[in-house]
């Protein structure tokens, strides 16, 4: 075995390190922007490479989307030149709002009572055309139940709104 044959074997670790260093320097950084695209079929794709034709860009850099500051709990300061409303004017507006909400609540409660009466606790008497067709009767009961639920939600929402008025 002569010395010439051993030299490349000793230089191998240095060569590997050099190749690794060059590859590391040539590789794109992990800081590449990741973009959100939607294809023609409506599927959303996230990628850091050029998209296929027909894809539409929605946004770029996911970190930008997730790093948005949360809305502050404290309201922002009102600008000095912002128009102001007199206290008496605001009070009359608030009273009008409460009256409108109270009227709406009374109307919704009346409609809820009528809907509950028509629903008859889930067992209203069948109409003449429904005696022979049970499916038609079930569909009417489902519609009546849905009407009751809508009015219940409306009443609840109006009560919450009235509770938050000044």
């Amino acid at each position: 075995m002569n010395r010439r044959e051993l030299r490349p074997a000793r230089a191998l670790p240095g060569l590997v390190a050099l190749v690794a260093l060059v590859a590391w320097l040539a590789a794109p950084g992990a800081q590449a922007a990741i973009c959100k695209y939607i294809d023609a079929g409506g599927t959303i794709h996230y990628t850091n490479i050029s998209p296929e034709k027909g894809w539409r860009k929605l946004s770029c850099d996911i970190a930008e989307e997730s790093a948005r500051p949360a809305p502050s709990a404290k309201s922002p300061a009102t600008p000095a030149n912002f128009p102001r409303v007199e206290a008496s004017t605001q009070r009359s507006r608030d009273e009008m709002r409460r009256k409108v909400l109270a009227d709406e609540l009374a109307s919704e409660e009346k409609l809820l009572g009528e809907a509950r009466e028509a629903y008859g606790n889930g067992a209203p008497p069948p109409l003449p055309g429904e005696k022979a067709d049970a499916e038609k009767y079930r569909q009417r009961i489902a519609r009546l139940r849905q009407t009751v639920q809508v009015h219940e939600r409306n009443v609840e929402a109006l009560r919450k709104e009235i509770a938050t008025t000044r």
Side-chain angles (χ1 to χ4, degrees):
M1 188 184 253
N2 65 32
R3 292 181 94 140
R4 254 176 128 163
E5 292 175 15
L6 292 177
R7 230 180 250 167
R10 284 187 220 155
L12 192 58
L15 182 60
V16 169
L18 180 63
V19 169
L21 178 65
V22 170
W24 179 73
L25 291 173
Q31 300 297 326
I34 297 176
C35 297
K36 182 177 176 183
Y37 295 92
I38 188 165
D39 65 16
T43 305
I44 293 178
H45 302 272
Y46 294 91
T47 182
N48 63 342
I49 57 174
S50 297
E52 295 179 19
K53 290 190 184 216
W55 288 15
R56 186 171 47 97
K57 183 191 259 184
L58 298 176
S59 66
C60 250
D61 201 351
I62 294 173
E64 162 187 294
E65 289 179 12
S66 62
R68 265 187 214 142
S72 156
K74 201 166 113 178
S75 61
T78 306
N81 62 350
F82 197 77
R84 302 237 181 240
V85 177
E86 290 182 25
S88 61
T89 304
Q90 188 61 48
R91 250 191 316 280
S92 70
R93 289 177 182 175
D94 290 342
E95 287 172 17
M96 178 61 77
R97 181 169 180 250
R98 268 193 297 280
K99 183 183 180 319
V100 168
L101 288 171
D103 291 346
E104 279 292 315
L105 178 61
S107 174
E108 269 309 313
E109 286 175 335
K110 180 181 175 194
L111 292 170
L112 175 60
E114 292 171 1
R116 282 182 175 160
E117 186 177 322
Y119 183 56
N121 287 332
L127 298 175
E130 296 171 340
K131 290 181 182 178
D133 190 358
E135 182 59 30
K136 197 173 185 182
Y137 179 67
R138 277 192 290 265
Q139 289 174 354
R140 183 169 69 98
I141 289 175
R143 283 192 309 273
L144 291 171
R145 181 180 335 111
Q146 185 178 15
T147 302
V148 168
Q149 290 171 344
V150 165
H151 289 300
E152 287 173 342
R153 285 192 302 265
N154 290 347
V155 166
E156 181 183 336
L158 286 165
R159 286 184 178 153
K160 283 181 182 177
E161 189 66 26
I162 289 171
T164 62
T165 58
R166 298 185 247 159

